[in-house]
């Protein structure tokens, strides 16, 4: 068929897609402005209630001692083959078994896996990374350095750079979004997957279009599409919004100590410490609309019944995308979003059972 005819036939579809994306971005930025107004009022209230803290977050001078706890592992750096960036990671149990690679979410870092590093180092080589833009890892400033493709290449480079051909991938929140994608596009590098509190992007997209309540639960995502303003709002009153997110008596991490809270805030308080992590969100809608994808990786999915940010109905939506027999899903009663830290014992029990046949 002549190229001109093919181009003419495809023109209506391309125009429709462009119009759909334009409509989507108009909705996203409208929601972003509303979210900015709401979070602006919240941040201003924090400043007025705590005037001594001022408008800006104060950089922490020294990291809390818990970040250098030797029981958690050895601090190392790896230069990535694809990008040349240097990633920080904590490693323990090398030589004890297969690679178990941990990917954290926002607003956290490698330290969110402290319980799992201690639990599994006897039978696995456990590695928790500070992902690109976080902690001591390199943090490019531009938004285009945080596309999904580049972040997946980072995971590939970590696995191969550590000398392995595959891993058990354990991920939470944003790390789990990447893990879902990674298991689809790099299946040969993943032996098993443990996903906590996150849905594949295409599932989240389709579910949110049918359940408006999920949009309200994810309102912060729209705020984070804006340049510079989210960094300013999150840092006001010495990072009070982040403090509330992590320590709230219903929505936060139970029993989080002041030192553990500082383990997360330390890196965000450094100059431009929030820009890299927020750039993940600024790429979230880049490939909209997403095509449905079949899921086949043997996966353990853990979900909190009381998750503030994600509706329980997403678990069923994920299950319907899976090849039968490949997904083991558990909804933990009375549990929120931060399962690896709030209920590590339950998580460990499910993980040991899921991985039992790999230990023989």
């Amino acid at each position: 068929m002549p190229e001109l005819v093919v181009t003419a036939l495809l023109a209506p579809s391309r125009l429709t897609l462009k119009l759909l994306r334009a409509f989507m971005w108009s909705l996203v930025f409208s929601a972003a402005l509303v979210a900015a107004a709401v979070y602006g009022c919240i941040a201003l209230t924090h400043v007025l209630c705590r005037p001594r803290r001022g408008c800006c977050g104060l950089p922490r001078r020294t990291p809390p001692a818990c970040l250098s706890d030797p029981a958690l592992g050895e601090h190392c750096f790896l230069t990535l083959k694809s990008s040349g960036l240097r990633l920080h990671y904590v490693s323990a149990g090398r030589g004890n078994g297969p690679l178990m690679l941990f990917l954290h979410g926002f607003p956290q870092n490698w330290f969110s896996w402290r319980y799992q590093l201690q639990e599994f180092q006897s039978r696995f080589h456990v590695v928790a990374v500070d992902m690109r833009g976080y902690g001591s890892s390199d943090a490019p400033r531009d938004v285009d350095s945080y596309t999904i493709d580049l972040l997946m290449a980072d995971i590939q480079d970590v696995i191969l750079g550590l000398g392995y051909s595959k891993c058990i991938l354990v991920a939470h929140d944003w790390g789990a979004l990447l893990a879902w994608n990674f298991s689809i596009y790099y299946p040969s590098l993943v032996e098993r997957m443990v996903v906590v509190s996150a849905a594949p992007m295409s599932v989240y997209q389709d579910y949110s279009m049918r359940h408006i309540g999920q949009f309200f639960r994810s309102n912060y995502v729209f705020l984070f599409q804006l340049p510079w303003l989210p960094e300013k709002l999150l840092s006001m009153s010495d990072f009070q919004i982040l403090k509330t997110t992590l320590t709230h008596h219903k929505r936060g991490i139970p029993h989080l100590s002041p030192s553990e809270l500082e383990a997360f805030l330390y890196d965000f308080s450094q100059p431009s410490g929030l820009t890299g992590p927020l750039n993940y969100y600024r790429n979230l809608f880049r490939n909209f609309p997403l095509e449905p994808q079949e899921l086949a990786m043997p996966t353990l999915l853990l979900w909190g019944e009381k998750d503030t940010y994600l509706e329980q109905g997403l678990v069923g939506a994920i299950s319907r995308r899976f090849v039968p027999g490949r997904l083991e899903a558990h909804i933990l009663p009375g549990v929120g979003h931060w399962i690896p830290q709030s209920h590590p014992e339950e998580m460990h029990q499910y993980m040991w059972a899921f991985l039992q046949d790999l230990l023989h």
Side-chain angles (χ1 to χ4, degrees):
M1 187 179 293
E3 184 177 345
L4 185 61
V5 175
V6 174
T7 302
L9 291 173
L10 291 177
S13 297
R14 289 171 175 167
L15 178 60
T16 301
L17 184 59
K18 287 181 179 179
L19 291 173
L20 180 62
R21 285 178 173 165
F23 177 67
M24 182 274 296
W25 279 112
S26 67
L27 291 179
V28 167
F29 281 108
S30 297
L33 294 176
V34 174
V38 172
Y39 279 91
C41 292
I42 293 171
L44 183 59
T45 301
H46 288 318
V47 171
L48 294 176
C49 292
R50 304 169 181 86
R52 291 186 178 182
R53 292 185 182 177
C55 286
C56 300
L58 300 175
R60 274 60 174 164
R61 295 183 180 275
T62 56
C66 60
L67 283 176
S68 54
D69 183 353
L72 300 181
E74 178 185 4
H75 291 257
C76 309
F77 288 87
L78 176 68
T79 300
L80 303 180
K81 181 179 179 180
S82 301
S83 63
L85 295 178
R86 212 170 65 127
L87 289 196
H88 166 254
Y89 66 95
V90 173
S91 168
R94 177 177 280 278
N96 291 347
L99 173 64
M100 182 179 285
L101 180 63
F102 296 93
L103 306 178
H104 64 79
F106 177 84
Q108 302 186 78
N109 54 28
W110 72 267
F111 186 71
S112 64
W113 299 111
R114 57 196 178 280
Y115 297 114
Q116 289 71 41
L117 287 171
Q118 295 180 84
E119 176 72 15
F120 292 100
Q121 63 180 266
S122 63
R123 301 299 299 273
F124 296 91
H125 178 198
V126 292
V127 172
V129 298
D130 272 336
M131 297 199 298
R132 177 189 296 227
Y134 283 83
S136 300
S137 293
D138 285 347
R141 291 293 303 274
D142 58 303
V143 174
D144 289 343
S145 294
Y146 295 86
T147 64
I148 300 299
D149 289 343
L150 291 176
L151 296 171
M152 286 196 297
D154 288 354
I155 301 170
Q156 177 191 33
D157 287 347
V158 169
I159 296 168
L160 299 180
L162 291 171
Y164 293 88
S165 60
K166 60 176 59 178
C167 73
I168 293 112
L169 196 56
V170 185
H172 174 250
D173 191 77
W174 241 109
L177 287 182
L178 296 174
W180 284 117
N181 259 40
F182 190 79
S183 71
I184 294 168
Y185 293 103
Y186 298 87
S188 64
L189 295 179
V190 184
E191 189 165 13
R192 298 280 177 87
M193 194 162 66
V194 179
V195 171
V196 187
S197 308
M201 294 180 187
S202 62
V203 174
Y204 179 86
Q205 167 196 276
D206 293 349
Y207 182 89
S208 298
M209 298 294 286
R210 295 176 173 83
H211 301 83
I212 191 67
Q214 183 57 57
F215 273 117
F216 289 103
R217 288 181 182 236
S218 305
N219 56 74
Y220 58 92
V221 171
F222 300 105
L223 170 68
F224 294 166
Q225 302 307 307
L226 300 174
W228 67 264
L229 181 61
E231 285 92 329
K232 181 66 176 176
L233 295 178
L234 292 183
S235 65
M236 289 175 70
S237 190
D238 197 33
F239 303 95
Q240 185 57 46
I241 289 178
L242 292 182
K243 289 179 179 178
T244 301
T245 298
L246 293 169
T247 64
H248 191 275
H249 69 284
K250 288 185 177 180
R251 301 188 301 271
I253 304 169
H255 315 299
L256 190 70
S257 71
S259 177
E260 290 170 336
L261 174 61
E262 286 299 313
F264 299 123
L265 296 180
Y266 171 77
D267 292 317
F268 295 133
S269 75
Q270 305 308 309
S272 303
L274 282 165
T275 298
L278 293 177
N279 281 343
Y280 283 61
Y281 290 93
R282 291 168 179 143
N283 280 286
L284 197 55
F285 297 101
R286 179 183 287 248
N287 297 319
F288 178 89
L290 298 169
E291 291 293 324
Q293 295 162 311
E294 186 177 64
L295 303 171
M297 182 61 59
T299 300
L300 170 65
L301 175 64
L302 300 178
W303 204 273
E305 179 195 21
K306 301 295 185 181
D307 195 314
T308 307
Y309 307 102
L310 299 167
E311 290 189 355
Q312 192 172 315
L314 279 163
V315 177
I318 295 168
S319 300
R320 288 188 287 275
R321 293 282 181 86
F322 254 92
V323 171
R326 299 294 180 88
L327 176 67
E328 178 184 330
H330 299 278
I331 298 175
L332 280 59
V335 176
H337 184 70
W338 315 97
I339 294 172
Q341 298 174 80
S342 66
H343 292 75
E345 295 86 0
E346 291 180 57
M347 179 175 176
H348 298 164
Q349 289 175 7
Y350 284 120
M351 286 181 63
W352 281 120
F354 179 65
L355 301 171
Q356 189 63 41
D357 61 304
L358 299 180
L359 302 175
H360 297 147

